[in-house]
PDB file of all heavy atoms in Angstrom:
ATOM      1  N   ARG A 642      13.624  20.962  16.145  1.00 89.00           N
ATOM      2  CA  ARG A 642      14.243  20.913  14.831  1.00 89.00           C
ATOM      3  C   ARG A 642      15.433  19.949  14.824  1.00 89.00           C
ATOM      4  O   ARG A 642      15.616  19.174  13.882  1.00 89.00           O
ATOM      5  CB  ARG A 642      14.680  22.321  14.408  1.00 89.00           C
ATOM      6  CG  ARG A 642      14.930  22.446  12.942  1.00 89.00           C
ATOM      7  CD  ARG A 642      14.748  23.838  12.429  1.00 89.00           C
ATOM      8  NE  ARG A 642      13.344  24.237  12.374  1.00 89.00           N
ATOM      9  CZ  ARG A 642      12.485  23.829  11.439  1.00 89.00           C
ATOM     10  NH1 ARG A 642      12.891  23.002  10.498  1.00 89.00           N
ATOM     11  NH2 ARG A 642      11.247  24.231  11.438  1.00 89.00           N
ATOM     12  N   GLU A 646      15.692  16.662  12.555  1.00 91.00           N
ATOM     13  CA  GLU A 646      16.764  16.493  11.575  1.00 91.00           C
ATOM     14  C   GLU A 646      17.785  15.426  11.981  1.00 91.00           C
ATOM     15  O   GLU A 646      18.727  15.145  11.231  1.00 91.00           O
ATOM     16  CB  GLU A 646      17.438  17.842  11.311  1.00 91.00           C
ATOM     17  CG  GLU A 646      16.544  18.687  10.410  1.00 91.00           C
ATOM     18  CD  GLU A 646      16.978  20.131  10.288  1.00 91.00           C
ATOM     19  OE1 GLU A 646      18.040  20.487  10.819  1.00 91.00           O
ATOM     20  OE2 GLU A 646      16.233  20.897   9.648  1.00 91.00           O
ATOM     21  N   ASP A 653      18.654   5.163   3.020  1.00 95.00           N
ATOM     22  CA  ASP A 653      19.692   4.271   2.501  1.00 95.00           C
ATOM     23  C   ASP A 653      21.078   4.655   3.022  1.00 95.00           C
ATOM     24  O   ASP A 653      22.064   4.538   2.304  1.00 95.00           O
ATOM     25  CB  ASP A 653      19.643   4.279   0.948  1.00 95.00           C
ATOM     26  CG  ASP A 653      20.511   3.201   0.307  1.00 95.00           C
ATOM     27  OD1 ASP A 653      20.797   2.188   0.984  1.00 95.00           O
ATOM     28  OD2 ASP A 653      20.905   3.370  -0.861  1.00 95.00           O
ATOM     29  N   THR A 731      14.408   5.543  -4.802  1.00 91.00           N
ATOM     30  CA  THR A 731      15.237   4.323  -4.808  1.00 91.00           C
ATOM     31  C   THR A 731      15.844   4.097  -3.425  1.00 91.00           C
ATOM     32  O   THR A 731      15.908   2.963  -2.948  1.00 91.00           O
ATOM     33  CB  THR A 731      16.342   4.370  -5.880  1.00 91.00           C
ATOM     34  OG1 THR A 731      17.120   5.552  -5.694  1.00 91.00           O
ATOM     35  CG2 THR A 731      15.768   4.369  -7.282  1.00 91.00           C
ATOM     36  N   LYS A 735      15.107   0.857  -1.043  1.00 96.00           N
ATOM     37  CA  LYS A 735      16.162  -0.006  -0.499  1.00 96.00           C
ATOM     38  C   LYS A 735      16.053  -0.092   1.019  1.00 96.00           C
ATOM     39  O   LYS A 735      16.174  -1.174   1.609  1.00 96.00           O
ATOM     40  CB  LYS A 735      17.548   0.529  -0.884  1.00 96.00           C
ATOM     41  CG  LYS A 735      17.935   0.199  -2.318  1.00 96.00           C
ATOM     42  CD  LYS A 735      19.325   0.710  -2.646  1.00 96.00           C
ATOM     43  CE  LYS A 735      20.406  -0.090  -1.951  1.00 96.00           C
ATOM     44  NZ  LYS A 735      21.741   0.511  -2.149  1.00 96.00           N
ATOM     45  N   ARG A 767       7.251   0.705 -17.261  1.00 84.00           N
ATOM     46  CA  ARG A 767       8.523   0.016 -17.060  1.00 84.00           C
ATOM     47  C   ARG A 767       9.170   0.481 -15.759  1.00 84.00           C
ATOM     48  O   ARG A 767       9.723  -0.309 -15.005  1.00 84.00           O
ATOM     49  CB  ARG A 767       9.452   0.305 -18.239  1.00 84.00           C
ATOM     50  CG  ARG A 767      10.698  -0.553 -18.213  1.00 84.00           C
ATOM     51  CD  ARG A 767      11.562  -0.272 -19.418  1.00 84.00           C
ATOM     52  NE  ARG A 767      11.932   1.138 -19.465  1.00 84.00           N
ATOM     53  CZ  ARG A 767      12.713   1.675 -20.397  1.00 84.00           C
ATOM     54  NH1 ARG A 767      13.170   0.921 -21.374  1.00 84.00           N
ATOM     55  NH2 ARG A 767      13.019   2.946 -20.367  1.00 84.00           N
ATOM     56  N   LEU A 768       9.056   1.763 -15.509  1.00 85.00           N
ATOM     57  CA  LEU A 768       9.639   2.312 -14.287  1.00 85.00           C
ATOM     58  C   LEU A 768       9.033   1.653 -13.048  1.00 85.00           C
ATOM     59  O   LEU A 768       9.748   1.144 -12.182  1.00 85.00           O
ATOM     60  CB  LEU A 768       9.373   3.822 -14.235  1.00 85.00           C
ATOM     61  CG  LEU A 768       9.733   4.492 -12.920  1.00 85.00           C
ATOM     62  CD1 LEU A 768      10.778   5.560 -13.174  1.00 85.00           C
ATOM     63  CD2 LEU A 768       8.542   5.095 -12.232  1.00 85.00           C
ATOM     64  N   LYS A 774      10.062  -4.880  -8.948  1.00 96.00           N
ATOM     65  CA  LYS A 774      10.965  -6.029  -9.036  1.00 96.00           C
ATOM     66  C   LYS A 774      12.160  -5.846  -8.113  1.00 96.00           C
ATOM     67  O   LYS A 774      12.569  -6.773  -7.411  1.00 96.00           O
ATOM     68  CB  LYS A 774      11.419  -6.242 -10.485  1.00 96.00           C
ATOM     69  CG  LYS A 774      12.440  -7.360 -10.620  1.00 96.00           C
ATOM     70  CD  LYS A 774      12.571  -7.864 -12.044  1.00 96.00           C
ATOM     71  CE  LYS A 774      13.809  -8.723 -12.234  1.00 96.00           C
ATOM     72  NZ  LYS A 774      14.009  -9.743 -11.197  1.00 96.00           N
ATOM     73  N   THR A 775      12.725  -4.641  -8.116  1.00 97.00           N
ATOM     74  CA  THR A 775      13.904  -4.414  -7.285  1.00 97.00           C
ATOM     75  C   THR A 775      13.552  -4.529  -5.803  1.00 97.00           C
ATOM     76  O   THR A 775      14.295  -5.143  -5.028  1.00 97.00           O
ATOM     77  CB  THR A 775      14.502  -3.024  -7.593  1.00 97.00           C
ATOM     78  OG1 THR A 775      14.712  -2.928  -8.995  1.00 97.00           O
ATOM     79  CG2 THR A 775      15.823  -2.831  -6.859  1.00 97.00           C
ATOM     80  N   ASP A 778      13.332  -8.162  -5.192  1.00 97.00           N
ATOM     81  CA  ASP A 778      14.667  -8.778  -5.239  1.00 97.00           C
ATOM     82  C   ASP A 778      15.422  -8.532  -3.928  1.00 97.00           C
ATOM     83  O   ASP A 778      16.202  -9.367  -3.481  1.00 97.00           O
ATOM     84  CB  ASP A 778      15.507  -8.192  -6.385  1.00 97.00           C
ATOM     85  CG  ASP A 778      15.066  -8.709  -7.749  1.00 97.00           C
ATOM     86  OD1 ASP A 778      14.257  -9.662  -7.786  1.00 97.00           O
ATOM     87  OD2 ASP A 778      15.514  -8.155  -8.764  1.00 97.00           O
ATOM     88  N   ARG A 810       7.671  14.738 -10.745  1.00 49.00           N
ATOM     89  CA  ARG A 810       8.409  14.588 -11.998  1.00 49.00           C
ATOM     90  C   ARG A 810       7.488  15.032 -13.119  1.00 49.00           C
ATOM     91  O   ARG A 810       6.486  14.405 -13.401  1.00 49.00           O
ATOM     92  CB  ARG A 810       8.827  13.133 -12.189  1.00 49.00           C
ATOM     93  CG  ARG A 810       9.582  12.580 -11.023  1.00 49.00           C
ATOM     94  CD  ARG A 810       9.988  11.152 -11.273  1.00 49.00           C
ATOM     95  NE  ARG A 810      11.058  11.071 -12.255  1.00 49.00           N
ATOM     96  CZ  ARG A 810      12.322  11.323 -11.974  1.00 49.00           C
ATOM     97  NH1 ARG A 810      12.685  11.656 -10.760  1.00 49.00           N
ATOM     98  NH2 ARG A 810      13.238  11.232 -12.897  1.00 49.00           N
ATOM     99  N   GLY A 813      10.141  15.626 -17.684  1.00 38.00           N
ATOM    100  CA  GLY A 813      11.557  15.290 -17.609  1.00 38.00           C
ATOM    101  C   GLY A 813      12.286  16.021 -16.514  1.00 38.00           C
ATOM    102  O   GLY A 813      13.471  15.821 -16.294  1.00 38.00           O
ATOM    103  N   THR A 819       8.349  21.180  -2.958  1.00 76.00           N
ATOM    104  CA  THR A 819       8.346  22.415  -2.173  1.00 76.00           C
ATOM    105  C   THR A 819       9.433  23.385  -2.616  1.00 76.00           C
ATOM    106  O   THR A 819       9.435  24.533  -2.223  1.00 76.00           O
ATOM    107  CB  THR A 819       8.533  22.116  -0.672  1.00 76.00           C
ATOM    108  OG1 THR A 819       9.739  21.353  -0.526  1.00 76.00           O
ATOM    109  CG2 THR A 819       7.366  21.308  -0.126  1.00 76.00           C
ATOM    110  N   ARG A 820      10.381  22.904  -3.407  1.00 67.00           N
ATOM    111  CA  ARG A 820      11.453  23.774  -3.871  1.00 67.00           C
ATOM    112  C   ARG A 820      11.121  24.437  -5.202  1.00 67.00           C
ATOM    113  O   ARG A 820      11.894  25.211  -5.732  1.00 67.00           O
ATOM    114  CB  ARG A 820      12.755  22.987  -4.010  1.00 67.00           C
ATOM    115  CG  ARG A 820      13.285  22.629  -2.671  1.00 67.00           C
ATOM    116  CD  ARG A 820      14.655  22.038  -2.701  1.00 67.00           C
ATOM    117  NE  ARG A 820      15.060  21.874  -1.324  1.00 67.00           N
ATOM    118  CZ  ARG A 820      15.635  22.825  -0.599  1.00 67.00           C
ATOM    119  NH1 ARG A 820      15.943  23.973  -1.153  1.00 67.00           N
ATOM    120  NH2 ARG A 820      15.914  22.625   0.658  1.00 67.00           N
ATOM    121  N   ASP A 822       9.044  26.815  -7.820  1.00 68.00           N
ATOM    122  CA  ASP A 822       8.392  28.108  -7.804  1.00 68.00           C
ATOM    123  C   ASP A 822       6.877  27.943  -7.672  1.00 68.00           C
ATOM    124  O   ASP A 822       6.295  26.975  -8.165  1.00 68.00           O
ATOM    125  CB  ASP A 822       8.723  28.800  -9.131  1.00 68.00           C
ATOM    126  CG  ASP A 822       8.080  30.140  -9.228  1.00 68.00           C
ATOM    127  OD1 ASP A 822       8.641  31.071  -8.634  1.00 68.00           O
ATOM    128  OD2 ASP A 822       7.032  30.258  -9.887  1.00 68.00           O
ATOM    129  N   VAL A 825       4.996  27.247 -10.835  1.00 69.00           N
ATOM    130  CA  VAL A 825       5.220  25.895 -11.345  1.00 69.00           C
ATOM    131  C   VAL A 825       4.440  24.890 -10.496  1.00 69.00           C
ATOM    132  O   VAL A 825       3.815  23.965 -11.003  1.00 69.00           O
ATOM    133  CB  VAL A 825       6.726  25.555 -11.342  1.00 69.00           C
ATOM    134  CG1 VAL A 825       6.948  24.135 -11.806  1.00 69.00           C
ATOM    135  CG2 VAL A 825       7.483  26.530 -12.220  1.00 69.00           C
TER     136      VAL A 825
ATOM    137  N   ARG B  23      19.300  10.356  -8.029  1.00 88.00           N
ATOM    138  CA  ARG B  23      18.968   8.946  -8.184  1.00 88.00           C
ATOM    139  C   ARG B  23      17.569   8.836  -8.773  1.00 88.00           C
ATOM    140  O   ARG B  23      16.758   9.743  -8.657  1.00 88.00           O
ATOM    141  CB  ARG B  23      19.050   8.253  -6.818  1.00 88.00           C
ATOM    142  CG  ARG B  23      20.475   8.269  -6.280  1.00 88.00           C
ATOM    143  CD  ARG B  23      20.559   7.890  -4.817  1.00 88.00           C
ATOM    144  NE  ARG B  23      20.220   6.502  -4.540  1.00 88.00           N
ATOM    145  CZ  ARG B  23      20.269   5.962  -3.323  1.00 88.00           C
ATOM    146  NH1 ARG B  23      20.652   6.684  -2.286  1.00 88.00           N
ATOM    147  NH2 ARG B  23      19.950   4.701  -3.137  1.00 88.00           N
ATOM    148  N   MET B  24      17.331   7.726  -9.422  1.00 84.00           N
ATOM    149  CA  MET B  24      16.052   7.491 -10.099  1.00 84.00           C
ATOM    150  C   MET B  24      15.703   8.558 -11.138  1.00 84.00           C
ATOM    151  O   MET B  24      14.616   9.118 -11.137  1.00 84.00           O
ATOM    152  CB  MET B  24      14.898   7.335  -9.115  1.00 84.00           C
ATOM    153  CG  MET B  24      13.805   6.467  -9.727  1.00 84.00           C
ATOM    154  SD  MET B  24      12.381   6.213  -8.676  1.00 84.00           S
ATOM    155  CE  MET B  24      11.215   7.336  -9.397  1.00 84.00           C
ATOM    156  N   VAL B  26      14.687   9.264 -14.893  1.00 80.00           N
ATOM    157  CA  VAL B  26      14.055   8.434 -15.913  1.00 80.00           C
ATOM    158  C   VAL B  26      14.098   9.056 -17.305  1.00 80.00           C
ATOM    159  O   VAL B  26      13.675   8.438 -18.266  1.00 80.00           O
ATOM    160  CB  VAL B  26      12.582   8.128 -15.567  1.00 80.00           C
ATOM    161  CG1 VAL B  26      12.512   7.117 -14.454  1.00 80.00           C
ATOM    162  CG2 VAL B  26      11.830   9.390 -15.197  1.00 80.00           C
ATOM    163  N   GLN B  27      14.616  10.250 -17.393  1.00 81.00           N
ATOM    164  CA  GLN B  27      14.582  10.927 -18.692  1.00 81.00           C
ATOM    165  C   GLN B  27      15.976  11.083 -19.309  1.00 81.00           C
ATOM    166  O   GLN B  27      16.110  11.687 -20.349  1.00 81.00           O
ATOM    167  CB  GLN B  27      13.955  12.323 -18.535  1.00 81.00           C
ATOM    168  CG  GLN B  27      12.593  12.311 -17.878  1.00 81.00           C
ATOM    169  CD  GLN B  27      11.472  11.930 -18.829  1.00 81.00           C
ATOM    170  OE1 GLN B  27      11.676  11.874 -20.032  1.00 81.00           O
ATOM    171  NE2 GLN B  27      10.304  11.661 -18.297  1.00 81.00           N
ATOM    172  N   GLY B  31      15.959   3.282 -19.048  1.00 91.00           N
ATOM    173  CA  GLY B  31      15.770   2.681 -17.720  1.00 91.00           C
ATOM    174  C   GLY B  31      15.890   3.671 -16.579  1.00 91.00           C
ATOM    175  O   GLY B  31      15.811   4.883 -16.757  1.00 91.00           O
ATOM    176  N   LEU B  32      16.072   3.094 -15.393  1.00 91.00           N
ATOM    177  CA  LEU B  32      16.289   3.921 -14.208  1.00 91.00           C
ATOM    178  C   LEU B  32      17.764   4.237 -14.111  1.00 91.00           C
ATOM    179  O   LEU B  32      18.601   3.360 -14.249  1.00 91.00           O
ATOM    180  CB  LEU B  32      15.861   3.150 -12.959  1.00 91.00           C
ATOM    181  CG  LEU B  32      14.365   3.015 -12.738  1.00 91.00           C
ATOM    182  CD1 LEU B  32      14.089   2.032 -11.625  1.00 91.00           C
ATOM    183  CD2 LEU B  32      13.761   4.363 -12.414  1.00 91.00           C
ATOM    184  N   ASN B  65      10.734  31.088  -0.731  1.00 87.00           N
ATOM    185  CA  ASN B  65       9.485  30.530  -0.203  1.00 87.00           C
ATOM    186  C   ASN B  65       9.695  29.646   1.026  1.00 87.00           C
ATOM    187  O   ASN B  65       8.775  29.403   1.790  1.00 87.00           O
ATOM    188  CB  ASN B  65       8.720  29.752  -1.291  1.00 87.00           C
ATOM    189  CG  ASN B  65       9.437  28.476  -1.700  1.00 87.00           C
ATOM    190  OD1 ASN B  65      10.653  28.443  -1.821  1.00 87.00           O
ATOM    191  ND2 ASN B  65       8.682  27.415  -1.905  1.00 87.00           N
ATOM    192  N   PRO B 108      17.811  26.701   9.309  1.00 83.00           N
ATOM    193  CA  PRO B 108      17.046  25.547   9.776  1.00 83.00           C
ATOM    194  C   PRO B 108      16.007  25.065   8.765  1.00 83.00           C
ATOM    195  O   PRO B 108      15.442  24.004   8.918  1.00 83.00           O
ATOM    196  CB  PRO B 108      16.359  26.066  11.041  1.00 83.00           C
ATOM    197  CG  PRO B 108      16.249  27.532  10.856  1.00 83.00           C
ATOM    198  CD  PRO B 108      17.390  27.957   9.963  1.00 83.00           C
ATOM    199  N   GLN B 110      16.507  24.961   5.319  1.00 85.00           N
ATOM    200  CA  GLN B 110      17.115  24.660   4.025  1.00 85.00           C
ATOM    201  C   GLN B 110      16.643  25.625   2.944  1.00 85.00           C
ATOM    202  O   GLN B 110      16.486  25.262   1.780  1.00 85.00           O
ATOM    203  CB  GLN B 110      16.878  23.202   3.631  1.00 85.00           C
ATOM    204  CG  GLN B 110      17.708  22.261   4.486  1.00 85.00           C
ATOM    205  CD  GLN B 110      17.090  20.873   4.600  1.00 85.00           C
ATOM    206  OE1 GLN B 110      16.362  20.430   3.742  1.00 85.00           O
ATOM    207  NE2 GLN B 110      17.409  20.186   5.679  1.00 85.00           N
ATOM    208  N   LYS B 130      24.965   2.481  -5.386  1.00 96.00           N
ATOM    209  CA  LYS B 130      23.827   2.202  -4.501  1.00 96.00           C
ATOM    210  C   LYS B 130      22.623   1.644  -5.254  1.00 96.00           C
ATOM    211  O   LYS B 130      21.855   0.863  -4.705  1.00 96.00           O
ATOM    212  CB  LYS B 130      23.391   3.485  -3.772  1.00 96.00           C
ATOM    213  CG  LYS B 130      24.283   3.848  -2.608  1.00 96.00           C
ATOM    214  CD  LYS B 130      23.844   5.161  -1.993  1.00 96.00           C
ATOM    215  CE  LYS B 130      24.724   5.521  -0.813  1.00 96.00           C
ATOM    216  NZ  LYS B 130      23.959   5.666   0.426  1.00 96.00           N
ATOM    217  N   ASP B 131      22.432   2.073  -6.492  1.00 96.00           N
ATOM    218  CA  ASP B 131      21.218   1.660  -7.195  1.00 96.00           C
ATOM    219  C   ASP B 131      21.461   0.612  -8.281  1.00 96.00           C
ATOM    220  O   ASP B 131      20.649   0.456  -9.193  1.00 96.00           O
ATOM    221  CB  ASP B 131      20.487   2.891  -7.757  1.00 96.00           C
ATOM    222  CG  ASP B 131      19.798   3.676  -6.653  1.00 96.00           C
ATOM    223  OD1 ASP B 131      19.678   3.129  -5.531  1.00 96.00           O
ATOM    224  OD2 ASP B 131      19.398   4.825  -6.881  1.00 96.00           O
ATOM    225  N   ASN B 137      17.519  -4.146 -13.277  1.00 95.00           N
ATOM    226  CA  ASN B 137      16.125  -4.531 -13.502  1.00 95.00           C
ATOM    227  C   ASN B 137      15.410  -3.654 -14.524  1.00 95.00           C
ATOM    228  O   ASN B 137      14.297  -3.966 -14.925  1.00 95.00           O
ATOM    229  CB  ASN B 137      15.356  -4.490 -12.179  1.00 95.00           C
ATOM    230  CG  ASN B 137      15.649  -5.714 -11.336  1.00 95.00           C
ATOM    231  OD1 ASN B 137      16.019  -6.764 -11.863  1.00 95.00           O
ATOM    232  ND2 ASN B 137      15.506  -5.590 -10.035  1.00 95.00           N
ATOM    233  N   SER B 138      16.015  -2.537 -14.895  1.00 93.00           N
ATOM    234  CA  SER B 138      15.336  -1.634 -15.819  1.00 93.00           C
ATOM    235  C   SER B 138      16.176  -1.345 -17.054  1.00 93.00           C
ATOM    236  O   SER B 138      15.813  -0.492 -17.841  1.00 93.00           O
ATOM    237  CB  SER B 138      15.025  -0.310 -15.093  1.00 93.00           C
ATOM    238  OG  SER B 138      16.237   0.358 -14.780  1.00 93.00           O
ATOM    239  N   PHE B 270      10.484  25.563 -15.492  1.00 77.00           N
ATOM    240  CA  PHE B 270      10.573  24.835 -14.229  1.00 77.00           C
ATOM    241  C   PHE B 270      11.801  25.275 -13.425  1.00 77.00           C
ATOM    242  O   PHE B 270      11.857  25.095 -12.229  1.00 77.00           O
ATOM    243  CB  PHE B 270      10.617  23.323 -14.476  1.00 77.00           C
ATOM    244  CG  PHE B 270       9.331  22.798 -15.033  1.00 77.00           C
ATOM    245  CD1 PHE B 270       9.315  21.973 -16.140  1.00 77.00           C
ATOM    246  CD2 PHE B 270       8.125  23.154 -14.452  1.00 77.00           C
ATOM    247  CE1 PHE B 270       8.119  21.502 -16.653  1.00 77.00           C
ATOM    248  CE2 PHE B 270       6.926  22.686 -14.953  1.00 77.00           C
ATOM    249  CZ  PHE B 270       6.924  21.856 -16.064  1.00 77.00           C
ATOM    250  N   ARG B 272      12.714  28.303 -13.033  1.00 85.00           N
ATOM    251  CA  ARG B 272      12.507  29.701 -12.647  1.00 85.00           C
ATOM    252  C   ARG B 272      12.994  29.998 -11.234  1.00 85.00           C
ATOM    253  O   ARG B 272      13.723  30.960 -10.984  1.00 85.00           O
ATOM    254  CB  ARG B 272      11.005  29.995 -12.743  1.00 85.00           C
ATOM    255  CG  ARG B 272      10.609  31.425 -12.610  1.00 85.00           C
ATOM    256  CD  ARG B 272       9.074  31.522 -12.686  1.00 85.00           C
ATOM    257  NE  ARG B 272       8.599  32.227 -11.501  1.00 85.00           N
ATOM    258  CZ  ARG B 272       8.303  33.526 -11.492  1.00 85.00           C
ATOM    259  NH1 ARG B 272       8.419  34.241 -12.570  1.00 85.00           N
ATOM    260  NH2 ARG B 272       7.896  34.109 -10.383  1.00 85.00           N
ATOM    261  N   SER B 273      12.604  29.109 -10.290  1.00 86.00           N
ATOM    262  CA  SER B 273      12.963  29.361  -8.887  1.00 86.00           C
ATOM    263  C   SER B 273      14.481  29.335  -8.704  1.00 86.00           C
ATOM    264  O   SER B 273      15.021  29.993  -7.821  1.00 86.00           O
ATOM    265  CB  SER B 273      12.302  28.340  -7.975  1.00 86.00           C
ATOM    266  OG  SER B 273      12.727  27.038  -8.323  1.00 86.00           O
TER     267      SER B 273
END
Side-chain angles (χ1 to χ4, degrees):
Chain A
R642 198 154 287 284
E646 284 169 5
D653 190 23
T731 55
K735 282 182 72 187
R767 189 178 58 179
L768 171 120
K774 176 162 166 47
T775 307
D778 285 349
R810 306 181 72 78
T819 55
R820 289 189 175 274
D822 179 80
V825 177
Chain B
R23 296 167 67 178
M24 207 180 102
V26 286
Q27 306 280 348
L32 286 170
N65 69 320
Q110 288 154 26
K130 282 177 179 239
D131 286 347
N137 282 335
S138 66
F270 293 131
R272 190 182 125 98
S273 60

